[in-house]
Structures are given as structure tokens and as C-alpha cells.
Amino acid sequence: MGIGVGGPDPLVISKRSTGRYERVVVGGEEVSAFIPMPLPPVPPPRHPVVTVASAMALIDTSKPTAIRSIEALVDAGVLVETTGKKRDRSFAYQAYVNRLRVGTELER
């Protein structure tokens, strides 16, 4: 029998779902549990360092919108301003850049 009386068969998965149903015993009662498939690995960012101009081109937007987008990512701690300048600033996805540096430090 399906979920609820006359409901759909719990072993039938809709086209949009990615996973499977398993019958498991919980508290002495057999139930159907949906087990999702693992998520695919997240690809690395294509542009870990951006400027306002590059953000405008990447997201095809105006300068004010690009600035607000970058500011929101800075406020969220995703991007960090790297130049220390007032104009022509660059912003880096610092966590990713730091991860790239591991094992690549130069000996002095």
C-alpha cells in the first residue's frame, strides 16, 4: 500500500526526484523513507577574483547593481577587498584563494 490510504506507491519516484525509497523499521513499525542521491561535487568558482567591471560583464548588469552585489558578498564574508584602494578595487573569494595556497607556499 502507498503513503496513506489509496495514496501513491512509495516505491515509485517522480521524474524530478533523485533518490530512492527504502523500507525501514522505526519504533517497531515499517515505514518508507526517501534516501536522496548524493549531491554532485561543487565545481570550483570560475572567477575567484572580481572587479566591479568584471562583475558587470559576468552578470550583465549596471554598475550600481554590480557594486551592490559585491557589497552584499563582502558583508556576508564571501568576498574580501584585496587592493586597499578607493578606486579600481579587486575582491577575492578569500576562502577559495586560501585553499589554493595550501601546499604551494614558496620557501624563502
Side-chain angles (χ1 to χ4, degrees):
M1 177 151 316
I3 301 172
V5 177
D9 185 344
L11 298 177
V12 175
I13 301 172
S14 74
K15 290 181 181 180
R16 295 195 185 272
S17 63
T18 55
R20 66 187 191 288
Y21 280 95
E22 262 184 31
R23 294 193 185 275
V24 295
V25 177
V26 177
E29 187 174 334
E30 186 176 305
V31 296
S32 293
F34 182 74
I35 311 297
M37 296 300 289
L39 293 173
V42 176
R46 291 184 179 173
H47 305 279
V49 178
V50 296
T51 63
V52 171
S54 69
M56 287 171 59
L58 285 168
I59 60 177
D60 190 26
T61 192
S62 67
K63 187 173 184 176
T65 300
I67 290 170
R68 282 193 308 273
S69 299
I70 289 172
E71 286 172 349
L73 291 170
V74 168
D75 291 344
V78 175
L79 294 179
V80 175
E81 198 281 322
T82 59
T83 61
K85 300 189 293 185
K86 296 255 186 220
R87 296 174 53 107
D88 302 320
R89 298 181 298 167
S90 292
F91 301 85
Y93 177 18
Q94 199 62 50
Y96 181 72
V97 172
N98 289 345
R99 183 170 260 193
L100 291 176
R101 284 190 179 126
V102 173
T104 62
E105 296 85 5
L106 297 175
E107 299 285 330
R108 290 187 186 216

XYZ file of all heavy atoms in Angstrom:
812
model
N 0.852 -1.174 0.000
C 0.000 0.000 0.000
C 0.894 1.233 0.000
O 2.002 1.229 0.486
C -0.924 0.008 1.213
C -1.738 1.266 1.233
S -3.365 1.231 1.987
C -4.089 -0.235 1.418
N 0.389 2.330 -0.513
C 1.156 3.562 -0.639
C 1.125 4.384 0.632
O 0.690 3.935 1.687
N 1.559 5.604 0.490
C 1.551 6.537 1.606
C 0.117 6.979 1.813
O -0.491 7.564 0.936
C 2.466 7.743 1.309
C 3.884 7.267 1.068
C 2.400 8.758 2.418
C 4.816 8.341 0.574
N -0.443 6.679 2.952
C -1.848 6.989 3.208
C -2.730 5.992 2.467
O -2.300 5.263 1.607
N -3.955 5.972 2.777
C -4.886 5.024 2.161
C -5.120 5.432 0.718
O -5.508 6.558 0.433
C -6.215 4.986 2.941
C -7.199 4.058 2.256
C -5.967 4.560 4.372
N -4.847 4.502 -0.193
C -5.063 4.767 -1.609
C -4.084 5.756 -2.203
O -4.270 6.215 -3.310
N -3.014 6.096 -1.463
C -2.021 7.054 -1.954
C -1.071 6.421 -2.944
O -1.188 5.251 -3.286
N -0.130 7.191 -3.445
C 0.812 6.666 -4.428
C 1.727 5.615 -3.814
O 1.973 5.608 -2.615
C 1.606 7.907 -4.850
C 1.464 8.864 -3.717
C 0.131 8.580 -3.100
N 2.201 4.731 -4.652
C 3.126 3.688 -4.203
C 4.435 4.357 -3.793
O 5.028 5.092 -4.581
C 3.370 2.685 -5.333
C 4.223 1.508 -4.895
O 4.878 1.602 -3.840
O 4.235 0.504 -5.611
N 4.917 4.149 -2.567
C 6.137 4.833 -2.117
C 7.385 4.369 -2.856
O 8.423 4.984 -2.743
C 6.214 4.499 -0.630
C 5.448 3.241 -0.479
C 4.367 3.301 -1.524
N 7.292 3.294 -3.626
C 8.462 2.835 -4.362
C 8.539 3.463 -5.747
O 9.473 3.232 -6.480
C 8.472 1.305 -4.462
C 8.540 0.611 -3.102
C 8.473 -0.891 -3.270
C 9.793 1.001 -2.350
N 7.573 4.281 -6.107
C 7.592 4.984 -7.383
C 8.121 6.387 -7.125
O 7.612 7.112 -6.274
C 6.187 5.054 -8.008
C 6.199 5.900 -9.269
C 5.674 3.654 -8.289
N 9.148 6.756 -7.866
C 9.787 8.051 -7.674
C 9.386 8.955 -8.837
O 9.404 8.538 -9.985
C 11.315 7.891 -7.617
C 11.690 6.958 -6.466
C 12.005 9.230 -7.468
C 13.150 6.583 -6.440
N 9.044 10.187 -8.535
C 8.664 11.110 -9.604
C 9.886 11.425 -10.465
O 11.036 11.208 -10.066
C 8.100 12.407 -9.014
O 9.127 13.193 -8.463
N 9.640 11.968 -11.652
C 10.713 12.267 -12.594
C 11.700 13.282 -12.049
O 12.858 13.279 -12.404
C 10.124 12.777 -13.904
C 9.404 11.715 -14.678
C 8.868 12.278 -15.969
C 8.116 11.205 -16.736
N 7.586 11.731 -17.989
N 11.266 14.181 -11.199
C 12.142 15.244 -10.707
C 12.981 14.839 -9.490
O 13.921 15.514 -9.143
C 11.327 16.473 -10.361
C 10.674 17.088 -11.572
C 10.189 18.484 -11.235
N 9.455 19.053 -12.327
C 10.003 19.734 -13.327
N 11.292 19.914 -13.350
N 9.255 20.238 -14.277
N 12.635 13.774 -8.827
C 13.380 13.394 -7.630
C 14.577 12.539 -8.016
O 14.572 11.834 -9.010
C 12.487 12.639 -6.649
O 12.051 11.431 -7.232
N 15.622 12.659 -7.242
C 16.809 11.832 -7.453
C 17.112 11.142 -6.140
O 17.617 11.743 -5.214
C 18.018 12.666 -7.918
O 18.228 13.709 -6.980
C 17.796 13.255 -9.293
N 16.775 9.911 -6.075
C 16.978 9.131 -4.867
C 16.155 7.867 -4.952
O 15.689 7.472 -6.010
N 15.980 7.253 -3.811
C 15.226 6.005 -3.775
C 14.470 5.922 -2.452
O 14.821 6.600 -1.485
C 16.161 4.814 -3.917
C 17.101 4.650 -2.734
C 18.140 3.553 -2.961
N 18.843 3.233 -1.752
C 19.746 4.004 -1.149
N 20.051 5.169 -1.649
N 20.343 3.615 -0.046
N 13.449 5.113 -2.448
C 12.726 4.829 -1.216
C 13.237 3.516 -0.648
O 13.562 2.599 -1.384
C 11.219 4.710 -1.477
C 10.531 6.047 -1.597
C 10.325 6.625 -2.833
C 10.109 6.714 -0.461
C 9.689 7.851 -2.937
C 9.478 7.932 -0.555
C 9.271 8.500 -1.791
O 8.643 9.711 -1.889
N 13.345 3.461 0.651
C 13.722 2.231 1.350
C 12.708 1.968 2.437
O 12.234 2.902 3.087
C 15.106 2.397 2.004
C 16.225 1.837 1.222
C 17.547 1.951 1.977
O 17.571 1.897 3.228
O 18.558 2.104 1.296
N 12.401 0.736 2.621
C 11.525 0.365 3.741
C 12.425 0.127 4.948
O 13.375 -0.650 4.881
C 10.724 -0.875 3.403
C 9.740 -0.634 2.284
C 8.750 -1.770 2.195
N 7.888 -1.614 1.056
C 6.774 -0.882 1.039
N 6.409 -0.240 2.132
N 6.036 -0.788 -0.031
N 12.148 0.833 6.039
C 12.927 0.703 7.265
C 11.977 0.524 8.439
O 10.798 0.881 8.363
C 13.843 1.934 7.503
C 14.901 2.042 6.429
C 13.039 3.216 7.567
N 12.491 -0.038 9.518
C 11.685 -0.228 10.719
C 12.074 0.857 11.715
O 13.241 0.998 12.073
C 11.907 -1.635 11.321
C 11.120 -1.783 12.609
C 11.515 -2.704 10.308
N 11.075 1.617 12.135
C 11.282 2.694 13.104
C 10.288 2.481 14.234
O 9.084 2.463 14.014
C 11.068 4.087 12.467
C 11.226 5.177 13.508
C 12.020 4.295 11.303
N 10.796 2.282 15.440
C 9.914 2.073 16.589
C 9.028 0.851 16.420
O 7.882 0.860 16.845
N 9.549 -0.161 15.760
C 8.794 -1.385 15.571
C 7.792 -1.328 14.428
O 7.062 -2.283 14.181
N 7.745 -0.224 13.699
C 6.797 -0.076 12.591
C 7.553 0.120 11.291
O 8.521 0.883 11.227
C 5.906 1.140 12.856
C 4.790 1.284 11.854
C 3.866 2.415 12.241
O 3.769 2.742 13.434
O 3.236 2.966 11.342
N 7.135 -0.594 10.251
C 7.793 -0.459 8.953
C 7.278 0.793 8.255
O 6.082 1.022 8.143
C 7.520 -1.683 8.078
C 8.307 -1.647 6.788
C 8.133 -2.895 5.957
O 8.378 -3.992 6.479
O 7.733 -2.759 4.790
N 8.231 1.631 7.792
C 7.881 2.857 7.085
C 8.737 2.962 5.833
O 9.747 2.295 5.704
C 8.094 4.114 7.974
C 7.173 4.100 9.171
C 9.538 4.235 8.391
N 8.320 3.799 4.914
C 9.112 4.081 3.719
C 9.862 5.382 3.953
O 9.284 6.380 4.378
C 8.218 4.217 2.494
O 7.622 2.986 2.188
N 11.153 5.362 3.656
C 11.987 6.553 3.819
C 12.630 6.883 2.483
O 13.140 5.996 1.804
C 13.059 6.310 4.880
N 12.598 8.150 2.106
C 13.241 8.578 0.871
C 14.704 8.848 1.159
O 15.044 9.626 2.049
C 12.570 9.839 0.307
C 13.169 10.288 -0.990
C 12.904 9.595 -2.161
C 14.008 11.380 -1.041
C 13.456 9.997 -3.361
C 14.568 11.790 -2.236
C 14.286 11.095 -3.408
N 15.586 8.194 0.439
C 17.033 8.372 0.588
C 17.517 9.132 -0.644
O 17.529 8.593 -1.748
C 17.765 7.006 0.684
C 17.100 6.086 1.701
C 19.241 7.213 0.933
C 17.123 6.588 3.113
N 17.907 10.399 -0.488
C 18.348 11.175 -1.655
C 19.718 10.706 -2.147
O 20.529 10.203 -1.373
C 18.419 12.608 -1.131
C 18.606 12.466 0.334
C 17.932 11.174 0.738
N 19.947 10.877 -3.439
C 21.252 10.574 -4.006
C 22.226 11.649 -3.529
O 21.821 12.787 -3.281
C 21.184 10.588 -5.540
C 20.268 9.515 -6.108
S 20.762 7.836 -5.673
C 22.206 7.655 -6.656
N 23.517 11.313 -3.409
C 24.480 12.334 -3.002
C 24.541 13.456 -4.037
O 24.352 13.214 -5.229
C 25.814 11.585 -2.936
C 25.509 10.151 -3.142
C 24.113 10.016 -3.618
N 24.795 14.654 -3.561
C 24.919 15.783 -4.467
C 26.217 15.669 -5.258
O 27.227 15.174 -4.745
C 24.915 17.095 -3.683
C 23.612 17.437 -2.984
C 23.796 18.665 -2.105
C 22.511 17.671 -3.989
N 26.229 16.145 -6.489
C 27.481 16.122 -7.249
C 28.461 17.107 -6.628
O 28.054 18.047 -5.939
C 27.060 16.564 -8.647
C 25.798 17.317 -8.453
C 25.134 16.718 -7.238
N 29.753 16.918 -6.881
C 30.719 17.863 -6.317
C 30.488 19.261 -6.893
O 30.073 19.406 -8.042
C 32.076 17.304 -6.754
C 31.795 16.296 -7.796
C 30.364 15.879 -7.663
N 30.732 20.249 -6.065
C 30.552 21.637 -6.493
C 31.780 22.036 -7.309
O 32.918 21.887 -6.843
C 30.395 22.570 -5.273
C 30.306 24.013 -5.713
C 29.186 22.157 -4.463
N 31.580 22.529 -8.533
C 32.742 22.926 -9.328
C 33.405 24.152 -8.717
O 32.744 24.962 -8.066
C 32.145 23.248 -10.702
C 30.715 23.549 -10.442
C 30.329 22.761 -9.225
N 34.707 24.296 -8.917
C 35.379 25.476 -8.370
C 34.865 26.739 -9.059
O 34.398 26.684 -10.200
C 36.853 25.239 -8.693
C 36.856 24.265 -9.812
C 35.603 23.451 -9.678
N 34.947 27.862 -8.365
C 34.482 29.106 -8.987
C 35.346 29.445 -10.202
O 36.548 29.204 -10.199
C 34.630 30.144 -7.877
C 35.591 29.567 -6.920
C 35.486 28.075 -7.032
N 34.718 29.994 -11.221
C 35.459 30.372 -12.423
C 36.176 31.695 -12.258
O 37.154 31.963 -12.940
C 34.510 30.459 -13.610
C 33.980 29.127 -14.024
C 33.145 29.275 -15.256
N 32.654 27.972 -15.661
C 31.788 27.780 -16.614
N 31.315 28.814 -17.272
N 31.397 26.578 -16.917
N 35.665 32.541 -11.380
C 36.226 33.880 -11.198
C 36.377 34.177 -9.713
O 35.570 34.918 -9.152
C 35.321 34.917 -11.870
C 35.069 34.636 -13.308
N 35.962 34.957 -14.295
C 34.030 34.021 -13.929
C 35.489 34.568 -15.463
N 34.314 33.995 -15.261
N 37.431 33.649 -9.058
C 37.571 33.878 -7.615
C 37.985 35.304 -7.258
O 37.916 35.693 -6.105
C 38.627 32.865 -7.181
C 39.410 32.580 -8.408
C 38.452 32.735 -9.554
N 38.423 36.081 -8.253
C 38.769 37.483 -8.033
C 37.978 38.304 -9.044
O 37.997 38.012 -10.242
C 40.286 37.734 -8.197
C 40.617 39.207 -8.017
C 41.082 36.880 -7.220
N 37.258 39.312 -8.549
C 36.446 40.151 -9.431
C 36.691 41.621 -9.150
O 37.147 41.997 -8.075
C 34.930 39.862 -9.287
C 34.594 38.462 -9.715
C 34.445 40.137 -7.887
N 36.384 42.417 -10.142
C 36.331 43.872 -10.012
C 34.895 44.268 -10.318
O 34.100 43.445 -10.769
C 37.278 44.553 -11.016
O 36.834 44.233 -12.340
C 38.723 44.117 -10.815
N 34.563 45.534 -10.117
C 33.215 45.986 -10.455
C 32.990 45.793 -11.955
O 31.943 45.301 -12.380
C 32.991 47.450 -10.025
C 31.671 47.976 -10.571
C 33.022 47.574 -8.508
N 33.983 46.127 -12.759
C 33.843 45.987 -14.212
C 33.644 44.526 -14.618
O 32.793 44.214 -15.456
C 35.060 46.577 -14.918
N 34.416 43.614 -14.019
C 34.257 42.204 -14.396
C 32.911 41.661 -13.897
O 32.286 40.857 -14.581
C 35.420 41.357 -13.876
O 35.408 41.248 -12.474
N 32.459 42.122 -12.739
C 31.152 41.692 -12.240
C 30.036 42.192 -13.155
O 29.083 41.473 -13.423
C 30.935 42.188 -10.809
N 30.168 43.406 -13.663
C 29.178 43.946 -14.593
C 29.075 43.048 -15.827
O 27.975 42.740 -16.289
C 29.563 45.369 -15.025
C 29.369 46.415 -13.962
S 30.078 48.024 -14.423
C 29.194 48.393 -15.922
N 30.219 42.620 -16.348
C 30.222 41.767 -17.539
C 29.722 40.357 -17.213
O 28.963 39.768 -17.990
C 31.623 41.706 -18.128
N 30.138 39.811 -16.064
C 29.764 38.447 -15.705
C 28.262 38.280 -15.507
O 27.685 37.279 -15.908
C 30.492 38.014 -14.427
C 31.963 37.683 -14.577
C 32.622 37.564 -13.199
C 32.133 36.398 -15.360
N 27.640 39.269 -14.849
C 26.212 39.138 -14.564
C 25.351 40.048 -15.441
O 24.149 40.135 -15.242
C 25.899 39.354 -13.061
C 26.332 40.743 -12.586
C 26.565 38.280 -12.227
C 25.994 41.047 -11.138
N 26.004 40.686 -16.426
C 25.305 41.511 -17.421
C 24.352 42.490 -16.748
O 23.129 42.419 -16.907
C 24.553 40.615 -18.406
C 24.012 41.410 -19.595
O 24.604 42.467 -19.914
O 23.008 40.983 -20.182
N 24.962 43.389 -15.967
C 24.145 44.335 -15.207
C 24.799 45.708 -15.191
O 25.899 45.903 -15.707
C 23.911 43.812 -13.776
O 22.893 44.588 -13.157
C 25.166 43.859 -12.938
N 24.139 46.654 -14.573
C 24.645 48.022 -14.463
C 25.696 48.118 -13.370
O 25.822 47.245 -12.516
C 23.495 48.978 -14.142
O 22.995 48.701 -12.848
N 26.439 49.211 -13.402
C 27.476 49.438 -12.392
C 26.892 49.502 -10.976
O 27.419 48.849 -10.071
C 28.258 50.704 -12.720
C 29.448 50.932 -11.827
C 30.278 52.104 -12.307
C 31.526 52.281 -11.458
N 32.373 53.361 -11.983
N 25.796 50.257 -10.730
C 25.246 50.296 -9.372
C 24.819 48.910 -8.861
O 25.035 48.577 -7.699
C 24.043 51.237 -9.485
C 24.332 52.094 -10.667
C 25.100 51.219 -11.618
N 24.233 48.109 -9.747
C 23.807 46.772 -9.330
C 25.013 45.886 -9.032
O 25.015 45.127 -8.060
C 22.921 46.124 -10.413
O 21.779 46.963 -10.602
C 22.476 44.731 -10.010
N 26.062 45.984 -9.842
C 27.279 45.206 -9.605
C 27.913 45.607 -8.276
O 28.344 44.750 -7.497
C 28.263 45.395 -10.749
N 27.942 46.911 -8.000
C 28.514 47.401 -6.735
C 27.705 46.864 -5.555
O 28.287 46.368 -4.579
C 28.556 48.947 -6.720
C 29.621 49.445 -7.715
C 28.849 49.470 -5.316
C 29.588 50.948 -7.959
N 26.380 46.938 -5.638
C 25.540 46.428 -4.543
C 25.722 44.919 -4.367
O 25.742 44.420 -3.240
C 24.058 46.762 -4.794
C 23.708 48.200 -4.477
C 22.207 48.424 -4.415
N 21.483 47.954 -5.591
C 21.276 48.659 -6.702
N 21.747 49.883 -6.788
N 20.596 48.132 -7.700
N 25.871 44.198 -5.463
C 26.078 42.748 -5.382
C 27.392 42.420 -4.683
O 27.454 41.553 -3.808
C 26.075 42.130 -6.782
O 24.848 42.356 -7.416
N 28.446 43.133 -5.062
C 29.749 42.920 -4.431
C 29.681 43.295 -2.955
O 30.190 42.567 -2.098
C 30.850 43.702 -5.170
C 31.116 43.044 -6.537
C 32.126 43.781 -4.339
C 32.046 43.833 -7.437
N 29.043 44.431 -2.642
C 28.915 44.850 -1.237
C 28.171 43.802 -0.415
O 28.543 43.525 0.732
C 28.202 46.192 -1.144
C 29.069 47.363 -1.576
C 28.301 48.678 -1.657
O 27.045 48.669 -1.582
O 28.967 49.711 -1.803
N 27.141 43.203 -0.981
C 26.384 42.170 -0.265
C 27.270 40.956 0.008
O 27.223 40.374 1.104
C 25.158 41.748 -1.070
N 28.106 40.589 -0.948
C 29.014 39.451 -0.753
C 30.126 39.778 0.235
O 30.571 38.921 0.991
C 29.586 38.990 -2.092
C 28.567 38.337 -3.026
C 29.153 38.129 -4.417
C 28.077 37.020 -2.447
N 30.571 41.038 0.251
C 31.567 41.470 1.253
C 30.932 41.424 2.640
O 31.521 40.894 3.591
C 32.115 42.875 0.921
C 32.914 43.441 2.087
C 32.968 42.836 -0.339
N 29.724 41.956 2.765
C 29.024 41.960 4.054
C 28.772 40.544 4.568
O 28.784 40.303 5.774
C 27.691 42.713 3.959
C 27.878 44.211 3.759
O 28.995 44.722 3.985
O 26.899 44.871 3.344
N 28.546 39.603 3.655
C 28.296 38.207 4.037
C 29.590 37.455 4.327
O 29.561 36.306 4.752
C 27.522 37.493 2.930
N 30.736 38.099 4.092
C 32.021 37.456 4.363
C 32.491 36.536 3.250
O 33.439 35.778 3.438
N 31.854 36.602 2.095
C 32.261 35.748 0.970
C 33.432 36.372 0.229
O 34.412 35.698 -0.079
C 31.071 35.512 0.010
C 31.515 34.730 -1.223
C 29.942 34.794 0.734
N 33.329 37.662 -0.071
C 34.401 38.369 -0.766
C 35.156 39.270 0.205
O 34.591 39.764 1.175
C 33.837 39.232 -1.902
C 33.203 38.516 -3.076
C 32.685 39.531 -4.092
C 34.168 37.556 -3.733
N 36.437 39.485 -0.105
C 37.292 40.378 0.686
C 37.967 41.333 -0.285
O 38.496 40.913 -1.321
C 38.360 39.574 1.462
C 39.318 40.500 2.184
C 37.700 38.616 2.436
N 37.967 42.629 0.041
C 38.639 43.617 -0.795
C 40.134 43.416 -0.625
O 40.636 43.324 0.487
C 38.211 45.027 -0.378
C 38.484 46.092 -1.419
C 39.920 46.546 -1.466
O 40.538 46.644 -0.395
O 40.412 46.793 -2.564
N 40.871 43.332 -1.733
C 42.290 42.950 -1.651
C 43.271 44.050 -1.998
O 44.468 43.886 -1.764
C 42.566 41.763 -2.596
O 42.236 42.136 -3.930
C 41.767 40.538 -2.172
N 42.817 45.186 -2.546
C 43.766 46.205 -3.007
C 44.040 47.300 -1.986
O 45.105 47.893 -2.008
C 43.254 46.879 -4.297
O 42.006 47.515 -4.011
C 43.093 45.870 -5.409
N 43.073 47.590 -1.124
C 43.230 48.677 -0.166
C 43.061 50.052 -0.803
O 43.371 51.063 -0.188
N 42.595 50.098 -2.037
C 42.417 51.366 -2.748
C 40.945 51.794 -2.698
O 40.073 51.011 -2.362
C 42.843 51.219 -4.211
C 44.294 50.811 -4.385
C 44.754 50.885 -5.829
C 44.088 49.879 -6.724
N 44.614 49.862 -8.094
N 40.707 53.045 -3.045
C 39.340 53.555 -3.122
C 38.745 53.310 -4.513
O 37.550 53.169 -4.672
C 39.310 55.060 -2.832
C 39.734 55.400 -1.429
C 38.542 55.763 -0.629
C 39.001 56.236 0.732
N 38.161 55.773 1.774
N 39.602 53.285 -5.549
C 39.158 53.065 -6.929
C 39.835 51.821 -7.479
O 40.881 51.405 -6.983
C 39.536 54.265 -7.802
C 38.838 55.546 -7.397
C 39.368 56.717 -8.194
N 39.316 56.475 -9.631
C 38.453 57.044 -10.476
N 37.577 57.899 -9.994
N 38.481 56.782 -11.748
N 39.242 51.262 -8.508
C 39.816 50.089 -9.187
C 40.139 48.964 -8.211
O 41.218 48.365 -8.254
C 41.071 50.471 -9.982
C 40.787 51.539 -11.018
O 39.718 51.465 -11.658
O 41.622 52.444 -11.187
N 39.203 48.696 -7.329
C 39.416 47.664 -6.312
C 39.164 46.266 -6.872
O 38.382 46.086 -7.793
C 38.495 47.915 -5.109
C 38.772 49.236 -4.431
C 37.895 49.483 -3.248
N 36.481 49.532 -3.650
C 35.473 49.496 -2.800
N 35.706 49.404 -1.506
N 34.239 49.557 -3.228
N 39.831 45.290 -6.274
C 39.605 43.879 -6.585
C 39.062 43.207 -5.336
O 39.433 43.551 -4.212
C 40.911 43.195 -6.995
O 41.347 43.686 -8.232
N 38.210 42.215 -5.547
C 37.598 41.479 -4.451
C 37.837 40.003 -4.688
O 37.653 39.507 -5.792
C 36.096 41.770 -4.386
C 35.790 43.222 -4.188
C 35.733 44.085 -5.265
C 35.579 43.725 -2.921
C 35.460 45.432 -5.087
C 35.307 45.068 -2.722
C 35.248 45.926 -3.814
N 38.271 39.298 -3.647
C 38.599 37.878 -3.788
C 37.684 37.021 -2.930
O 37.297 37.408 -1.833
C 40.051 37.636 -3.374
N 37.379 35.846 -3.465
C 36.711 34.797 -2.698
C 37.828 34.186 -1.855
O 38.463 33.226 -2.235
C 36.069 33.810 -3.665
C 35.399 32.609 -3.038
C 35.048 32.569 -1.699
C 35.091 31.499 -3.814
C 34.431 31.463 -1.146
C 34.470 30.385 -3.280
C 34.148 30.378 -1.948
O 33.545 29.280 -1.405
N 38.086 34.802 -0.716
C 39.286 34.536 0.065
C 39.391 33.094 0.543
O 40.475 32.522 0.543
C 39.379 35.490 1.255
C 40.773 35.598 1.831
C 41.776 36.155 0.825
O 41.557 37.174 0.200
N 42.888 35.473 0.662
N 38.306 32.480 0.938
C 38.355 31.093 1.408
C 38.881 30.175 0.303
O 39.674 29.265 0.551
C 36.978 30.631 1.871
N 38.457 30.424 -0.928
C 38.911 29.609 -2.063
C 40.373 29.894 -2.375
O 41.163 28.981 -2.585
C 38.023 29.890 -3.276
C 38.405 29.085 -4.487
C 38.159 27.720 -4.542
C 39.008 29.689 -5.581
C 38.495 26.978 -5.657
C 39.346 28.953 -6.696
C 39.087 27.600 -6.723
O 39.428 26.870 -7.831
N 40.745 31.158 -2.385
C 42.131 31.530 -2.667
C 43.055 30.941 -1.603
O 44.130 30.418 -1.924
C 42.277 33.066 -2.761
C 43.733 33.484 -2.870
C 41.474 33.605 -3.946
N 42.642 30.975 -0.343
C 43.452 30.385 0.732
C 43.618 28.890 0.531
O 44.689 28.341 0.778
C 42.828 30.660 2.100
C 42.939 32.110 2.499
O 43.705 32.874 1.920
N 42.145 32.510 3.474
N 42.566 28.232 0.092
C 42.635 26.786 -0.145
C 43.614 26.471 -1.275
O 44.334 25.486 -1.240
C 41.255 26.243 -0.476
C 41.230 24.758 -0.664
C 39.837 24.280 -0.739
N 39.497 23.744 0.564
C 38.447 23.027 0.808
N 37.588 22.776 -0.148
N 38.214 22.545 1.990
N 43.658 27.320 -2.293
C 44.615 27.135 -3.382
C 46.057 27.293 -2.921
O 46.961 26.675 -3.464
C 44.342 28.123 -4.515
C 43.066 27.911 -5.330
C 42.911 29.038 -6.333
C 43.097 26.569 -6.045
N 46.258 28.140 -1.918
C 47.622 28.403 -1.434
C 48.215 27.214 -0.646
O 49.435 27.082 -0.584
C 47.611 29.628 -0.532
C 47.496 30.897 -1.266
C 47.746 32.090 -0.352
N 47.648 33.309 -1.110
C 46.867 34.321 -0.798
N 46.130 34.278 0.305
N 46.805 35.376 -1.557
N 47.390 26.385 -0.066
C 47.878 25.300 0.772
C 48.786 24.384 -0.055
O 48.402 23.878 -1.105
C 46.704 24.492 1.376
C 47.215 23.254 2.099
C 45.893 25.369 2.316
N 50.003 24.220 0.421
C 50.956 23.348 -0.249
C 51.692 24.017 -1.396
O 52.502 23.367 -2.065
N 51.423 25.296 -1.647
C 52.102 25.988 -2.736
C 52.954 27.137 -2.258
O 53.419 27.946 -3.067
C 51.092 26.486 -3.787
O 50.218 27.438 -3.143
C 50.290 25.367 -4.383
N 53.161 27.218 -0.927
C 53.953 28.321 -0.400
C 55.391 28.173 -0.857
O 55.930 27.070 -0.954
C 53.926 28.322 1.140
C 52.556 28.562 1.740
C 51.718 27.302 1.877
O 52.235 26.191 1.599
O 50.555 27.414 2.239
N 56.017 29.313 -1.162
C 57.411 29.311 -1.592
C 58.329 29.360 -0.382
O 58.065 30.056 0.591
C 57.687 30.513 -2.495
C 56.905 30.541 -3.808
C 57.176 31.847 -4.539
C 57.290 29.363 -4.685
N 59.430 28.614 -0.444
C 60.449 28.647 0.610
C 61.262 29.921 0.441
O 61.600 30.299 -0.674
C 61.356 27.422 0.492
C 60.640 26.122 0.645
C 60.270 25.826 2.081
O 60.999 26.272 3.004
O 59.230 25.166 2.290
N 61.619 30.558 1.533
C 62.461 31.773 1.452
C 63.804 31.508 2.020
O 64.077 30.756 2.821
C 61.794 32.913 2.202
C 60.566 33.358 1.464
C 60.014 34.585 2.123
N 58.761 34.906 1.470
C 58.351 36.123 1.249
N 59.073 37.144 1.620
N 57.224 36.353 0.653
